[in-house]
Amino acid sequence: MPSVVHPSSHTEDDIELPTPSKFGLVRLHESRFHHHFPAVSSEEHLINYYHCALVSDILLQGFLYLSKNYFAFYSNIFGYKTKFLIPVGSVTKITKERVAKIIPNAIGITTHDEKYVFGSLLSRDASYRLIYKIWKKASCEREMEDESFTSSSSDQTTTDDASSLSTKIKKEHVRKSPSSRSSSPPWHNLKSTSSKTGTVSPKCQPSNSVVWSITKDCFGKVEETFVSICKLPRTSVLLAVSSVLLVLLFFSATFLMYRISVVHRRMTNGEHLQPFSKLKQKQNKLGQTKIVTEEVIQLTDNLQNRINQLVMVRKSLAELMDVTIQDKNSCNTQKEKVADTAPGQWVAVGT
């Protein structure tokens, strides 16, 4: 990140001067600074500039220009221009920030009306030190001016007070005449005050204006907090809402787990089971009858299969018996034929 300082405008101890090789960059960015912000006088010299991104709905890449009296930002993304001037005198606070609550590369500049967060800084600490020094220097100068103004005004007020005191003393001296001395005795005043001590003065009671002012202050604080929340970036608001939802879900899950544990403990202890005992008995009986009927059906199916197998075996045995009987009959007929033929003749017997 280039760190550039004007060679002739600021030579204080708290601001470092650049190397001579960066004077060209100083002139270039100072000319751009005055071109983008023509309302700034030409005598306002550039102290430093940083390439950063403004944290809003999206990250707007641009340049942060630092001068003695202004913090300026300029961005141009595809013709979408964003630029604004922050007077150093309107700054109330400068803080170190995190982009997306994680990345520590941002700086926050808070004014009376709004807060600006600049991220994507390579050297966040160095830029923070420089911005803080510029702001503190401007605030010290402003305080010195205020003190000088107050001292001059106090001198005028003291002279006015002295003249007014002299006139009052003269008037009192004139009023203290013998006729005035013959006034009512002092114990008369004592009696009047003693008679009034028993009653409560209405000043001790709170007036409606005080109550109204207190309520107005409360509503004003609530409105300020609401406005500050509305001015936050959309990403931070979404993160806050999601974190709140996660916390609520966590608490609801813990409550449900507690209720489940209570119900489980009651079930294990046998509580609240008497009204359901009859129903459970009926259910058990129905379940047992269903199991018995299923077993009976399975047994009948098995028996039917065995019977069918036996019928098949019987049929096969009957067929074998028929075949054996036929073979025996054929053998007997052949033997009879051989016996009837003449001796010495060969007969072909087929097996």
Side-chain angles (χ1 to χ4, degrees):
M1 183 66 61
S3 177
V4 182
V5 183
H6 198 273
S8 62
S9 60
H10 297 280
T11 58
E12 290 83 5
D13 295 333
D14 56 349
I15 300 173
E16 296 179 357
L17 293 173
T19 58
S21 61
K22 294 182 179 178
F23 289 163
L25 294 173
V26 173
R27 296 189 185 91
L28 176 62
H29 283 277
E30 188 171 356
S31 63
R32 289 180 180 177
F33 171 62
H34 288 289
H35 174 70
H36 296 318
F37 302 97
V40 179
S41 64
S42 59
E43 296 178 356
E44 190 76 20
H45 296 290
L46 189 68
I47 295 173
N48 202 337
Y49 74 94
Y50 294 104
H51 183 73
C52 61
L54 178 65
V55 179
S56 60
D57 295 337
I58 59 172
L59 292 176
L60 298 174
Q61 297 289 333
F63 287 94
L64 177 64
Y65 299 102
L66 307 179
S67 66
K68 184 179 179 180
N69 298 313
Y70 294 102
F71 298 146
F73 178 77
Y74 178 80
S75 173
N76 188 358
I77 300 173
F78 300 109
Y80 180 74
K81 295 181 180 180
T82 303
K83 63 178 182 178
F84 52 84
L85 275 172
I86 304 172
V88 178
S90 66
V91 177
T92 59
K93 187 169 61 174
I94 295 172
T95 55
K96 294 180 180 180
E97 301 290 338
R98 292 174 180 265
V99 176
K101 305 296 182 182
I102 298 171
I103 305 168
N105 64 348
I107 293 173
I109 298 174
T110 306
T111 62
H112 297 287
D113 300 326
E114 196 171 352
K115 181 178 180 181
Y116 304 94
V117 179
F118 302 99
S120 301
L121 292 167
L122 294 178
S123 57
R124 194 267 300 271
D125 295 332
S127 59
Y128 172 78
R129 285 195 295 270
L130 181 57
I131 294 169
Y132 187 79
K133 286 176 182 178
I134 294 168
W135 174 56
K136 290 301 288 183
K137 186 178 178 183
S139 62
C140 291
E141 290 178 355
R142 191 170 61 255
E143 287 175 359
M144 292 293 289
E145 291 176 357
D146 294 337
E147 287 178 358
S148 64
F149 178 74
T150 52
S151 64
S152 62
S153 62
S154 64
D155 292 336
Q156 292 177 359
T157 54
T158 52
T159 56
D160 296 334
D161 292 335
S163 62
S164 63
L165 282 172
S166 63
T167 54
K168 284 181 180 178
I169 289 166
K170 289 179 182 179
K171 287 180 181 179
E172 288 179 357
H173 183 70
V174 170
R175 286 178 183 176
K176 287 181 180 180
S177 61
S179 61
S180 64
R181 287 178 184 176
S182 63
S183 59
S184 61
W187 55 82
H188 181 72
N189 294 326
L190 290 172
K191 288 180 181 179
S192 63
T193 54
S194 62
S195 64
K196 291 180 180 179
T197 54
T199 60
V200 179
S201 64
K203 292 181 180 179
C204 297
Q205 297 178 358
S207 61
N208 293 324
S209 61
V210 175
V211 177
W212 174 249
S213 64
I214 292 168
T215 54
K216 190 175 181 181
D217 292 335
C218 293
F219 281 111
K221 289 180 181 179
V222 172
E223 188 177 359
E224 286 178 359
T225 54
F226 182 74
V227 170
S228 61
I229 290 167
C230 291
K231 286 181 179 180
L232 289 173
R234 190 176 294 174
T235 55
S236 60
V237 173
L238 290 174
L239 287 171
V241 171
S242 61
S243 61
V244 171
L245 290 174
L246 287 173
V247 170
L248 291 174
L249 288 172
F250 176 74
F251 281 114
S252 63
T254 52
F255 180 72
L256 288 173
M257 291 294 292
Y258 173 73
R259 294 293 298 169
I260 289 167
S261 64
V262 170
V263 172
H264 180 70
R265 187 169 61 253
R266 288 179 179 177
M267 293 291 288
T268 53
N269 293 329
E271 296 178 358
H272 304 286
L273 295 176
Q274 293 179 359
F276 304 100
S277 60
K278 293 181 180 179
L279 291 173
K280 285 187 176 180
Q281 289 177 1
K282 289 181 181 179
Q283 289 177 358
N284 291 327
K285 287 181 181 179
L286 291 172
Q288 289 177 359
T289 53
K290 286 181 181 179
I291 291 167
V292 171
T293 51
E294 288 177 356
E295 289 180 353
V296 169
I297 290 168
Q298 288 179 358
L299 289 172
T300 52
D301 291 336
N302 291 326
L303 289 172
Q304 187 66 36
N305 292 327
R306 295 293 176 82
I307 289 167
N308 292 327
Q309 290 177 0
L310 289 172
V311 169
M312 294 294 291
V313 169
R314 181 174 174 281
K315 287 181 180 180
S316 60
L317 289 172
E319 289 178 356
L320 287 171
M321 289 293 292
D322 293 335
V323 170
T324 53
I325 290 168
Q326 289 178 2
D327 290 336
K328 285 182 180 180
N329 292 327
S330 62
C331 289
N332 291 325
T333 53
Q334 287 179 359
K335 286 179 181 179
E336 288 176 358
K337 286 181 181 180
V338 170
D340 292 334
T341 55
Q345 292 181 356
W346 296 94
V347 179
V349 179
T351 59

